[in-house]
Amino acid sequence: MKKFIQSSDILKLIKDGDTLLVGGFGLSGTPLTLIDEIASSSLKNLTVVSNNLGEPGKGLGKLLLSGCLKKAVGSYFTTNRDAIKAWKEGHLEIELIPQGTLAEAIRCGGAGIGGFYTKTALGTKIGEGKEVKEIDGEKYILEKAIKGDVSLIKAMKADTLGNLVYEYTARNFNPVMATASKIVIAEVDEIVEAGTLSPYEIVTPHVYVDYVVASHYVKVGGVYVESISPD
Amino acid sequence: MSQSARIKIAKRIAQELSDGEIVNLGVGIPTLIPDYLGDKKVYLQSENGLLGMGPTPEPQQVNMDLISASKKPITMEIGASLFDSSDSFVMIRGGHIDVAVLGILQVDEFGEIANWSVPGKDVLGVGGAMDLVAGAKKIILASTHQAKDGSPKLVKKLTYPTSGGKKANMLVTEHAVFTFSNKGVELVEILSDISLEELQKITGANFTISQELIRN
């Protein structure tokens, strides 16, 4: 049986200096409730691995403004002007990784693989200083796997075992992040009885999921808004 | 850059795409291409996890969990499939995408691309640009002939940081179509009423002229 917990309980699972893998592409597939909890906590020096840092004041953008973050690792931060400002002022470290390399590094992290050789970024500024290896006449660079202390992911539904299904393109980085941290917490819109989800539709098997939290957000007009009566 | 010039570029690239191809469209001009495919059926891949991307939905159908890589609401076509980011880049990096249509900052005379970072400016985004450059079977570049400041996009040597060693196959601007090979860049088609001399003047690289140059 999975542990179904309140969102505030997650603060006991995260400590200062932790690396958090946070699902989402922009705001889609982002665990907004879990981020809100951390943003209102006194946690410090967190490193976040996520494709983006949300939008100004939204999703991970909120976490940035709360001052919990030391470093962001991801592929595209230009869409959040607060991230650019924090970086310029020296309040935020940024590590830029090509999107496909980010996804594969996390996949490796969860798959027991230490790193991988890729052609992406070979000969570029991002590839500088990385080991170059020739395999069967083609050149690649070495990228190390990425692992986290805690993964914060978002799914559409969980069953009571913790199996997860995702909505449309909100899947993005969530399934790989579910495999790559010591503790995995999934925020979901709906919890259903085991057996309700078809085995064909389950994307993340429950083996990866440690905790499930019900989202405080509801979808109105295709966009998540904070529910008036959380929990 | 007028909208008509952008549409001209999109229309010309639409002609290059073949029925049944798997295509990834970058931001900007490439996103206009689906409107000009006519009867041709191509399958659009969106790197956030969808193959079979359809047009923009009606306002009441918008779901911000069904979005393009530009984070705009989209729809799914019949036969569409959804997958996670690592599978999406298996498709891209693994050579399963037939054509990537990309915007650029610069391209050199051998087709090496710079499309992610401007020197002296903040470099805080790369997205999937380098993965697409490294992995797509064919790369078509969609760009205005000159940057906003009038500087040429097609240059002898990149002054902006490279996106990778893999070369583009073709560049389409509002004035011309160029193809790249290890011999250099060749002008294959003129799309406006520009003279050859003028074209040479606003281009930063020396190009050869195809024996079968087409002038529209």
Side-chain angles (χ1 to χ4, degrees):
Chain A
M1 220 33 194
K2 287 298 135 179
K3 289 189 180 162
F4 291 88
I5 59 173
Q6 299 299 312
S7 60
S8 55
D9 295 334
I10 71 163
L11 298 178
K12 294 174 220 153
L13 302 168
I14 303 168
K15 53 188 189 309
D16 290 344
D18 270 357
T19 294
L20 309 180
L21 311 188
V22 184
F25 189 91
L27 293 175
S28 177
T30 298
L32 299 172
T33 304
L34 305 182
I35 290 169
D36 285 348
E37 285 295 345
I38 300 170
S40 60
S41 77
S42 56
L43 283 163
K44 291 187 300 289
N45 292 324
L46 300 174
T47 293
V48 156
V49 179
S50 191
N51 192 50
N52 321 97
L53 271 185
E55 291 174 8
K58 289 182 180 169
L60 287 171
K62 196 188 259 187
L63 196 57
L64 172 68
L65 295 180
S66 75
C68 303
L69 292 189
K70 184 182 80 173
K71 186 177 178 183
V73 179
S75 90
Y76 207 82
F77 299 112
T78 326
T79 39
N80 186 344
R81 58 179 181 272
D82 294 338
I84 298 170
K85 187 166 171 277
W87 174 75
K88 272 188 181 162
E89 290 171 354
H91 303 311
L92 179 73
E93 295 169 42
I94 281 186
E95 186 179 344
L96 205 58
I97 302 182
Q99 197 178 142
T101 298
L102 181 66
E104 187 63 13
I106 298 166
R107 196 196 70 81
C108 287
I113 296 169
F116 61 103
Y117 290 99
T118 177
K119 282 184 200 172
T120 301
L122 172 71
T124 72
K125 234 155 76 175
I126 288 179
E128 268 173 26
K130 292 175 180 168
E131 183 198 321
V132 177
K133 193 178 179 82
E134 197 171 307
I135 303 171
D136 293 339
E138 303 240 35
K139 280 186 180 156
Y140 301 84
I141 57 169
L142 174 67
E143 293 281 2
K144 277 166 63 179
I146 292 175
K147 286 196 267 193
D149 295 299
V150 182
S151 282
L152 306 174
I153 64 170
K154 168 69 175 54
M156 180 168 62
K157 287 184 200 175
D159 70 13
T160 47
L161 285 172
N163 289 306
L164 303 179
V165 296
Y166 301 91
E167 185 171 11
Y168 300 120
T169 53
R171 189 180 305 190
N172 54 64
F173 286 86
N174 288 297
V176 281
M177 287 182 170
T179 68
S181 285
K182 289 173 230 163
I183 298 171
V184 175
I185 307 167
E187 172 177 339
V188 300
D189 293 341
E190 195 185 346
I191 298 164
V192 299
E193 279 302 317
T196 317
L197 302 174
S198 160
Y200 289 125
E201 67 179 320
I202 292 168
V203 172
T204 297
H206 65 76
V207 58
Y208 300 117
V209 182
D210 298 305
Y211 298 96
V212 176
V213 173
S215 179
H216 295 180
Y217 285 76
V218 290
K219 208 174 240 180
V220 178
V223 180
Y224 280 105
V225 294
E226 233 166 320
S227 163
I228 20 174
S229 54
D231 291 315
Chain B
M1 178 71 176
S2 70
Q3 186 64 8
S4 67
R6 291 160 56 88
I7 289 170
K8 186 201 269 184
I9 296 168
K11 274 185 177 169
R12 180 61 190 81
I13 293 175
Q15 290 173 25
E16 288 299 312
L17 303 179
S18 305
D19 215 31
E21 279 183 326
I22 308 291
V23 179
N24 183 295
L25 300 176
V27 296
I29 298 169
T31 59
L32 301 173
I33 293 170
D35 291 342
Y36 304 102
L37 288 167
D39 293 338
K40 255 187 294 196
K41 177 73 209 152
V42 303
Y43 301 94
L44 299 177
Q45 199 257 15
S46 188
E47 60 260 35
N48 54 324
L50 170 64
L51 178 61
M53 178 166 65
T56 305
E58 296 299 320
Q60 64 274 18
Q61 254 100 51
V62 166
N63 179 346
M64 291 312 285
D65 285 322
L66 179 53
I67 55 171
S68 68
S70 312
K71 305 187 179 87
K72 299 278 194 306
I74 50 166
T75 51
M76 294 189 294
E77 301 217 302
I78 288 171
S81 53
L82 296 158
F83 34 85
D84 70 44
S85 299
S86 78
D87 279 344
S88 181
F89 284 91
V90 167
M91 263 177 224
I92 290 170
R93 198 193 309 100
H96 308 283
I97 303 293
D98 294 312
V99 185
V101 185
L102 305 173
I104 50 162
L105 294 163
Q106 285 180 335
V107 58
D108 80 7
E109 56 189 351
F110 295 103
E112 187 163 328
I113 301 158
N115 72 344
W116 69 286
S117 152
V118 179
K121 288 228 177 132
D122 311 325
V123 185
L124 297 178
V126 62
M130 288 188 184
D131 304 283
L132 282 160
V133 167
K137 281 190 219 165
K138 183 175 178 183
I139 300 170
I140 300 177
L141 305 177
S143 178
T144 57
H145 203 86
Q146 293 155 287
K148 279 189 190 121
D149 65 0
S151 63
K153 296 275 195 119
L154 174 54
V155 294
K156 204 166 170 49
K157 204 169 181 305
L158 297 180
T159 55
Y160 290 178
T162 179
S163 300
K166 180 100 172 306
K167 310 293 193 285
N169 301 81
M170 177 179 269
L171 165 68
V172 179
T173 77
E174 71 275 30
H175 292 303
V177 180
F178 298 93
T179 56
F180 300 95
S181 72
N182 52 16
K183 286 187 221 118
V185 56
E186 184 168 70
L187 172 69
V188 294
E189 202 171 321
I190 296 176
L191 300 174
S192 70
D193 53 11
I194 196 167
S195 72
L196 209 47
E197 293 68 37
E198 280 173 274
L199 187 64
Q200 271 156 340
K201 210 182 287 174
I202 62 166
T203 305
N206 296 320
F207 51 84
T208 56
I209 298 160
S210 167
Q211 304 273 2
E212 291 103 43
L213 179 69
I214 301 165
R215 195 180 242 288
N216 290 305

